[in-house]
Amino acid sequence: MADGGKKKAVGLPLPLMQGLHGEFYRHCAAGRLSFQRCSDCGRWRHVPREICPACSSWNWSWEQSSGRGTVFTYTITERSMHPAFAERCPYAVVVVEMEEGVRLLSRVVDCPPSELEIGAGVTVDFLSLESPAAGADDRQGEQAPGQEEIVLPVFRLA
Amino acid sequence: MKDKACIVGVGATGFCRGEGSGKSLHGLQLEAALAALADAGLRAGQVDGIMPFPNLGTAEGFAASLGCENLRFATTVNMGGAAPVASLGVAAAAVSSGLADYVLMPAGWNGYSGSRAGAIVQEMTASIPGGAIARDFYLPHGLVAPPQWYALIARRHMHEYGTTAEQLGAVALAMRKHAQLNPAAVMHGKSMTMEQYLASPMITDPYRLFDCCLETDGAAACVVTTTERARDLARPPVYISGVASAQPYPADEITGREDIFRTGLTVAAPRAFEMAGVKPADADFAQVYDCFTFEVVQQLEEAGFCARGEGGAFVQEGRIELGGELPVNTHGGLLSEAHVLGMGHVVEAVRQLRGEAAGRQVADASLGVVTGWGDFGDGSIAVLRN
Ligand SMILES: [Zn+2]
């Protein structure tokens, strides 16, 4: 980065707490990892969709996941591609395949990136981020509206 | 649609890094467009169809600058790096159905001196494929850029099929070797060894620096018309024998696909080969969209040049180098020539089929394949012949 040492704090990109995405994250804030499940064909789905791609049903409910899954794939990012993550490098971005069959992009918080292995068992945990209101001056308009606490689903080795 | 349309003109600007092109985004693409029109022996005013690359210009803007007073076909295929080759199909359909007579397809950017890829990620979150999905589910965990999206697929491929770093390196080395035969390539005069490849810094595992495409200033363009009109023009026509494009499923989310290796090309390739009435093995060369090394391996598999899982071995032992079984990216590709958004691959295929590729000419090239790859795995493919 050719910033010439001029450091400008860049806020962590946060989910906007809107629509079905917001509902997903509100379940996380309540300590539950939940996914949509079709009431007609029984299919679990993630990311949230308004209708079931398998049977076109509008009927669904949020159902709590067992929270257990395995590492499906990952990448270890060593060179920063976004200033908000520069200080975390190297960090691993991990795709977890849940017992219910859906996959979720997340991270494994208690495992050094170099020790990650595909197939490793993991269980969900929750990471509360600072309130978007705090330090909002430094952000570039990425913060969620309001004062809502944002909780990300993360994983620990099982 | 087989052989009903031809590529009749190609052109490109010079490619550079350093001080940059000194031209605007629009001007750079105009330079390539004028070169393609001159190559075809057409006046700019004869163009009545324009297909710009997504987000890099409008047909209206190009028509205004070029004096196209009769623009009647203006559209863009929204497939990122798969757009130029997908546009060949749309342009062929347009001219063969009479919607337009001459379709101009410009593509290019100041990828070095202008908006670098990293800056685009930050400034244009909304333009990331999957928009709100990426914003709400990827970015909070630090999945922000294309090398990371595709690295997830590459890592899984290495796990399932034993694909190795040296095999990815073989792709990088082949492109670099070809660039030594292409004076226009940014990496001309800069050869590379496997040791240098392996020693290059890790960017996002398994991608090292030399697994990643260049960021360069440059543009390229081509012109498509009907086979009948092509016969009256300046250059030998290159026939669009087969062409197809397709989306992965779902196209807006890259982690949850039931079969993570199934991309748009998986669907498109059999259709393009069927239309052309040929098999992958019939191709004399392939220009494969090489945003990163693994995408070459994956596309060779999904296009049917080898079975899934065999791509790693396929790219070794000089098989994809000039003189090998299937020379790939004879110009050096995005990895070693320049990042012209896939249009450079079209230009190179045409030059090969016209026998104009000088020191890197594939002997007796008569049938070639070009692919495009974009966004979360959109795919396109054209089978071209002379
Ligand atoms: Zn259903």
Side-chain angles (χ1 to χ4, degrees):
Chain A
M1 294 286 141
D3 290 333
K6 190 179 70 178
K7 280 196 179 161
K8 186 179 181 204
V10 175
L12 215 54
L14 298 173
L16 294 189
M17 298 294 284
Q18 295 171 348
L20 294 172
H21 295 187
E23 289 186 36
F24 173 88
Y25 281 108
R26 278 181 205 105
H27 279 262
C28 293
R32 295 187 303 268
L33 177 62
S34 299
F35 300 109
Q36 288 177 297
R37 188 175 188 190
C38 177
S39 308
D40 287 305
C41 76
R43 183 85 64 104
W44 294 77
R45 63 182 189 254
H46 181 73
V47 300
R49 309 265 182 201
E50 291 196 52
I51 69 172
C52 174
C55 77
S56 304
S57 171
W58 292 86
N59 304 315
W60 58 271
S61 58
W62 290 107
E63 290 199 20
Q64 189 169 356
S65 160
S66 72
R68 290 188 294 270
T70 54
V71 172
F72 180 78
T73 189
Y74 62 89
T75 182
I76 301 166
T77 299
E78 301 202 8
R79 182 168 299 187
S80 172
M81 298 178 198
H82 190 296
F85 296 95
E87 286 175 14
R88 272 181 58 200
C89 288
Y91 66 95
V93 175
V94 181
V95 177
V96 175
E97 185 163 87
M98 305 303 301
E99 284 184 341
E100 293 81 13
V102 298
R103 296 196 203 115
L104 176 67
L105 188 93
S106 183
R107 61 183 93 169
V108 179
V109 292
D110 63 346
C111 179
S114 59
E115 289 171 27
L116 265 176
E117 279 183 22
I118 289 177
V122 292
T123 55
V124 75
D125 195 0
F126 297 95
L127 177 68
S128 178
L129 300 178
E130 58 173 315
S131 158
D137 292 348
D138 296 336
R139 294 208 166 80
Q140 300 177 330
E142 291 167 330
Q143 75 274 23
Q147 311 271 328
E148 200 168 352
E149 181 191 26
I150 291 179
V151 175
L152 301 180
V154 297
F155 287 84
R156 294 184 179 279
L157 292 173
Chain B
M1 213 162 73
K2 180 189 179 188
D3 298 335
K4 294 252 172 71
C6 296
I7 303 172
V8 293
V10 294
T13 65
F15 308 127
C16 63
R17 300 193 286 186
E19 290 182 2
S21 69
K23 279 203 161 61
S24 71
L25 174 66
H26 187 61
L28 193 64
Q29 294 180 84
L30 283 177
E31 184 184 336
L34 289 170
L37 290 165
D39 183 55
L42 288 166
R43 284 176 295 106
Q46 290 174 273
V47 168
D48 57 0
I50 300 181
M51 298 191 65
F53 191 91
N55 305 317
L56 295 180
T58 64
E60 294 85 342
F62 287 116
S65 293
L66 291 166
C68 307
E69 296 183 9
N70 300 300
L71 186 72
R72 57 195 181 101
F73 182 76
T75 192
T76 288
V77 179
N78 188 27
M79 297 182 100
V85 175
S87 297
L88 286 178
V90 177
V95 297
S96 58
S97 64
L99 288 178
D101 292 342
Y102 301 100
V103 178
L104 171 69
M105 300 166 37
W109 59 337
N110 288 315
Y112 186 86
S113 67
S115 289
R116 299 286 292 270
I120 290 173
V121 166
Q122 285 173 57
E123 293 162 9
M124 298 167 55
T125 301
S127 76
I128 292 175
I133 293 172
R135 181 195 66 210
D136 292 345
F137 294 104
Y138 299 171
L139 269 62
H141 292 288
L143 183 71
V144 299
Q148 297 172 301
W149 307 337
Y150 308 150
L152 293 171
I153 303 175
R155 171 52 62 194
R156 182 72 196 183
H157 196 273
M158 294 171 110
H159 173 76
E160 283 194 34
Y161 301 112
T163 311
T164 64
E166 286 76 10
Q167 290 172 336
L168 301 188
V171 174
L173 262 57
M175 308 302 97
R176 188 63 71 93
K177 199 166 165 181
H178 294 162
Q180 304 319 307
L181 304 170
N182 176 8
V186 163
M187 287 299 178
H188 183 71
K190 296 177 183 168
S191 61
M192 181 165 68
T193 64
M194 184 62 83
E195 289 66 37
Q196 289 169 322
Y197 162 81
L198 290 170
S200 69
M202 196 63 87
I203 302 297
T204 190
D205 170 278
Y207 289 147
R208 294 170 163 79
L209 179 63
F210 292 149
D211 289 300
C212 302
C213 54
L214 298 166
E215 293 178 292
T216 53
D217 289 9
C222 71
V223 185
V224 171
T225 190
T226 60
T227 297
E228 289 70 31
R229 287 190 190 87
R231 294 194 180 111
D232 302 329
L233 294 177
R235 313 293 306 161
V238 168
Y239 294 82
I240 301 172
S241 285
V243 62
S245 59
Q247 306 275 354
Y249 181 81
D252 63 355
E253 206 283 309
I254 198 169
T255 68
R257 293 173 189 158
E258 196 167 316
D259 173 357
I260 199 168
F261 304 120
R262 182 183 182 273
T263 57
L265 190 63
T266 317
V267 179
R271 291 179 176 271
F273 285 115
E274 189 189 355
M275 186 189 295
V278 300
K279 302 181 299 299
D282 296 328
D284 297 311
F285 62 81
Q287 317 298 359
V288 178
Y289 194 90
D290 53 329
C291 43
F292 304 94
T293 52
F294 170 71
E295 276 53 56
V296 174
V297 172
Q298 188 182 10
Q299 288 175 86
L300 289 170
E301 293 180 357
E302 298 306 308
F305 289 103
C306 60
R308 189 180 284 180
E310 293 176 2
F314 186 89
V315 299
Q316 289 185 298
E317 323 259 327
R319 238 172 255 111
I320 62 166
E321 294 176 12
L322 279 160
E325 206 172 294
L326 179 75
V328 171
N329 295 350
T330 48
H331 53 326
L334 306 182
L335 288 164
S336 279
E337 187 200 48
H339 196 320
V340 202
L341 306 154
M343 192 61 82
H345 292 61
V346 176
V347 170
E348 176 69 3
V350 168
R351 287 179 176 156
Q352 287 285 351
L353 290 169
R354 288 179 182 170
E356 295 173 352
R360 59 183 193 277
Q361 180 65 44
V362 175
D364 303 320
S366 62
L367 189 88
V369 167
V370 195
T371 76
W373 165 287
D375 293 349
F376 287 164
D378 298 353
S380 55
I381 179 169
V383 180
L384 307 176
R385 70 168 182 86
N386 57 19

